[in-house]
Amino acid sequence: FMICIGVIQVCVARGNDQLMEFNASLSSICFAVLLGLCDDIIDIKWKHKLQIGAFMALPLLISYQGGTTILIPEIGPLRKFFNDNKSMGDTFIGNLLQIEIDGEGSLFDLGFLYYVYMFVLIVFCTNSINIYAGINGLEVGQSVVMACSVSVVNLLELTWRGGSQEDILSGDGRNHLFSLMLMLPFISTSLALLKFNFYPAKVFVGDVYPYYAGMTLATSAILGHFAKSLFLLMVPQLLNFVYSLPQLFHFVPIPRHRLPKINLKTGFVEASKVAPNDDRANMTLLCAALRLFGPMHERTLCIVLLTFQVLCACLGIGFRYAIAGLF
């Protein structure tokens, strides 16, 4: 992957701005790989992962040159509310956060808050794949599906701009092209890895690949200037995170590993328990699927979850362009 990106950088990058984006993306991805390697070796605590995530996100946030403005939908009272309260940008908090309201309430410049959002997105992407894992092929498979979804969004944005090079590279076209150039080598290398990681796995990815994949997706979306849309392509990861919150915040006991357990008699995987003497199942989508459909083979469970990932990605892309007319 790094070799491909290096070759693309030499062949495509023109000007200091593009070189800075390439270098920032590579730096953040390398930091993520290093974090995953350290986590495999010394088992880093979650609070330390968040602190390291701040340094990991710095190159990406510093190099970001896109807008920090969001569009307010025409439906409902939101646009009228912001139009009637434009003065909130002149308050102390508004000046502190650099909030601006323009265009009759349709444009809401989040300023510094948008950088906070991008930081949260980076931390979420690098950790969400890592906690939605535990069976052969799931980490790599879900990453390939999300990367293909991001590529489809980029291709649609580039195709609708016209056939000439000037049309394609106009506006955010150059950013979508950069995002696509990140995704294609990632998909290629991940598909090769998936061949050996799918059941029965001959190669195990540890924590390195989930952090690498999450950071690559976050980099592609942020520097591609569609960071707000990435969550629509990560619905299973969002559901798994929200469903896991009671355990992550220790309202429910959480074991060291929450992956499904194997029934040696049947060869099927079953939902694992939060504790040996507790009948409650671990709060993950893997265990939820096993409770909903019953015990199944590990390969079958992976296919079910990846099918759900594909369906959510298709719905996310459809929803993204279906609601575009509301803005």
Side-chain angles (χ1 to χ4, degrees), residues 231-273:
F231 279 124
L232 294 176
L233 308 178
M234 301 183 69
V235 173
Q237 288 70 28
L238 278 168
L239 292 176
N240 185 67
F241 173 72
V242 173
Y243 186 44
S244 299
L245 282 177
Q247 283 191 296
L248 295 178
F249 285 100
H250 297 281
F251 296 122
V252 175
I254 179 170
R256 176 68 183 87
H257 296 289
R258 301 188 297 164
L259 36 146
K261 62 179 182 180
I262 300 178
N263 188 321
L264 297 178
K265 294 182 179 179
T266 62
F268 289 175
V269 289
E270 301 174 347
S272 55
K273 306 298 182 182

Side-chain angles (χ1 to χ4, degrees), residues 164-185:
S164 66
Q165 182 178 353
E166 291 77 11
D167 292 335
I168 291 176
L169 299 180
S170 63
D172 286 338
R174 189 179 298 276
N175 301 99
H176 285 289
L177 184 60
F178 172 78
S179 175
L180 185 62
M181 287 189 294
L182 277 180
M183 286 293 95
L184 293 182

Side-chain angles (χ1 to χ4, degrees), residues 100-231:
E100 295 182 8
I101 302 174
D102 198 4
E104 297 183 354
S106 61
L107 297 176
F108 187 44
D109 192 348
L110 293 174
F112 175 73
L113 287 178
Y114 196 81
Y115 284 85
V116 175
Y117 164 76
M118 289 191 292
F119 170 73
V120 172
L121 177 65
I122 292 170
V123 173
F124 173 78
C125 288
T126 51
N127 288 282
S128 62
I129 298 176
N130 198 28
I131 66 174
Y132 184 41
I135 58 175
N136 292 339
L138 183 57
E139 298 100 315
V140 184
Q142 64 180 294
S143 301
V144 169
V145 173
M146 288 186 287
C148 290
S149 305
V150 170
S151 299
V152 169
V153 171
N154 287 317
L155 287 172
L156 289 175
E157 292 292 335
L158 292 172
T159 302
W160 291 338
R161 291 176 181 273
S164 66
Q165 182 178 353
E166 291 77 11
D167 292 335
I168 291 176
L169 299 180
S170 63
D172 286 338
R174 189 179 298 276
N175 301 99
H176 285 289
L177 184 60
F178 172 78
S179 175
L180 185 62
M181 287 189 294
L182 277 180
M183 286 293 95
L184 293 182
F186 175 76
I187 293 172
S188 302
T189 53
S190 295
L191 284 174
L193 176 60
L194 182 61
K195 178 181 178 181
F196 298 97
N197 181 245
F198 200 73
Y199 186 91
K202 298 177 182 178
V203 173
F204 299 96
V205 296
D207 289 331
V208 173
Y209 182 84
Y211 285 112
Y212 151 67
M215 179 56 76
T216 305
L217 290 167
T219 300
S220 179
I222 290 173
L223 296 184
H225 294 180
F226 59 96
K228 300 182 291 294
S229 302
L230 184 59
F231 279 124

Side-chain angles (χ1 to χ4, degrees), residues 72-85:
I72 306 300
E74 294 180 354
I75 59 173
L78 279 177
R79 183 169 291 190
K80 183 177 184 303
F81 170 78
F82 284 112
N83 186 40
D84 294 339
N85 294 273

Side-chain angles (χ1 to χ4, degrees), residues 309-326:
Q309 184 82 44
V310 171
L311 292 175
C312 289
C314 294
L315 291 174
I317 294 174
F319 183 74
R320 180 185 192 273
Y321 291 103
I323 65 174
L326 303 178

Side-chain angles (χ1 to χ4, degrees), residues 69-99:
T69 302
I70 61 173
L71 285 173
I72 306 300
E74 294 180 354
I75 59 173
L78 279 177
R79 183 169 291 190
K80 183 177 184 303
F81 170 78
F82 284 112
N83 186 40
D84 294 339
N85 294 273
K86 287 185 178 181
S87 59
M88 74 167 60
D90 298 326
T91 63
F92 172 75
I93 296 179
N95 290 323
L96 180 66
L97 300 178
Q98 304 173 6
I99 293 176

